[in-house]
Amino acid sequence: MTAPRPATREALAGLPAEVAPTLLGGELRVTTTDGVVAVRITEVEAYHGQGTGPLADPGSHARMGQTARNATMWGEPGHLYVYLSHGIHSCVNVVCGPEGVAGGILLRGGEIVEGADAAHIRRPAARTARDLARGPGRLGEAVGLRHPVHDGIDAITGEERAGASARLFLPAEPLAEIATGPRVGVAGVAGTDAFPWRFWIPGDPTVSAFRWGRGAQDAAAEARIYAGPPPP
């Protein structure tokens, strides 16, 4: 198997739903004083910015425009948007799209392929290796990126920020098989198959389980009702 290649800003310049599948099988490598932790990316979710793509994304942090929280999403591609979820979990997103046009790809799950000892120290609750980075909060914790100090860190140049550096690598060849479906835990219509912007490697044990977001299952059922009966 050919080794992953360093990501470039040009490779990340498309819309999130276009770029997201190309991250699968790639790696995020984070270096801190504890050493290197590398995660092979197995699951991602795309989130579009305000006014991008054919369909407005009500699940995106950038849906209402630029704020202090989401400012990194509006920067040049290849930086990492690290935000706090539920006031606890630092979640890692790869910024994509042209500078000034918000877009992000959430790293939902992965396999720790280097630095497992450091990841286990950070994630003592993980019972097995597959649980180290299975889910976005776990992934952020395992690699050692934290909000707010690492928000905006550049994964193209690897420039150090707050004691850490990050590099993103993309697979040299596209994967033969990729699965797609609704995003996990996203509320309302944004968490239905109207937005099949979750991508994952089928059968990989580090992919997180699907769960409906608040009101998403009802929204999906309502959409099916109004779509009319299936063709004969």
Side-chain angles (χ1 to χ4, degrees), residues 13-217:
L15 291 176
E18 299 167 350
V19 176
T22 70
L23 270 58
L24 295 175
E27 292 182 10
L28 178 66
R29 299 176 59 86
V30 179
T31 303
T32 67
T33 54
D34 298 325
V36 177
V37 174
V39 58
R40 180 178 69 93
I41 301 165
T42 62
E43 181 185 13
V44 295
E45 286 178 348
Y47 290 88
H48 279 203
Q50 185 185 42
T52 63
L55 192 63
D57 183 1
S60 172
H61 286 179
R63 64 188 179 275
M64 301 298 289
Q66 186 170 346
T67 67
R69 181 195 191 195
N70 67 29
T72 297
M73 292 182 73
W74 302 79
E76 62 183 352
H79 290 260
L80 301 182
Y81 169 46
V82 183
Y83 73 88
L84 202 61
S85 175
H86 302 294
I88 302 172
H89 306 294
S90 293
C91 298
V92 180
N93 301 255
V94 176
V95 175
C96 62
E99 186 173 2
V101 178
I105 301 168
L106 174 65
L107 303 184
R108 272 211 61 89
E111 175 194 9
I112 300 299
V113 293
E114 184 177 346
D117 289 345
H120 271 290
I121 291 172
R122 293 171 180 154
R123 292 258 311 114
R127 296 183 178 181
T128 65
R130 88 162 189 168
D131 290 327
L132 285 172
R134 186 173 183 247
R138 295 173 178 180
L139 188 151
E141 188 172 12
V143 300
L145 293 176
R146 298 289 179 269
H147 170 86
V149 295
H150 297 130
D151 180 30
I153 195 169
D154 193 343
I156 302 298
T157 65
E159 182 178 356
E160 183 176 335
R161 175 177 293 204
S165 62
R167 291 297 306 273
L168 179 68
F169 295 83
L170 303 180
E173 301 173 357
L175 299 184
E177 187 178 0
I178 291 174
T180 182
R183 297 175 294 197
V184 177
V186 177
V189 68
T192 72
D193 54 10
F195 294 87
W197 292 350
R198 175 187 176 221
F199 305 90
W200 67 94
I201 299 176
D204 194 287
T206 63
V207 172
S208 53
F210 177 76
R211 61 178 174 81
W212 292 106
R214 186 182 68 258
Q217 190 168 13

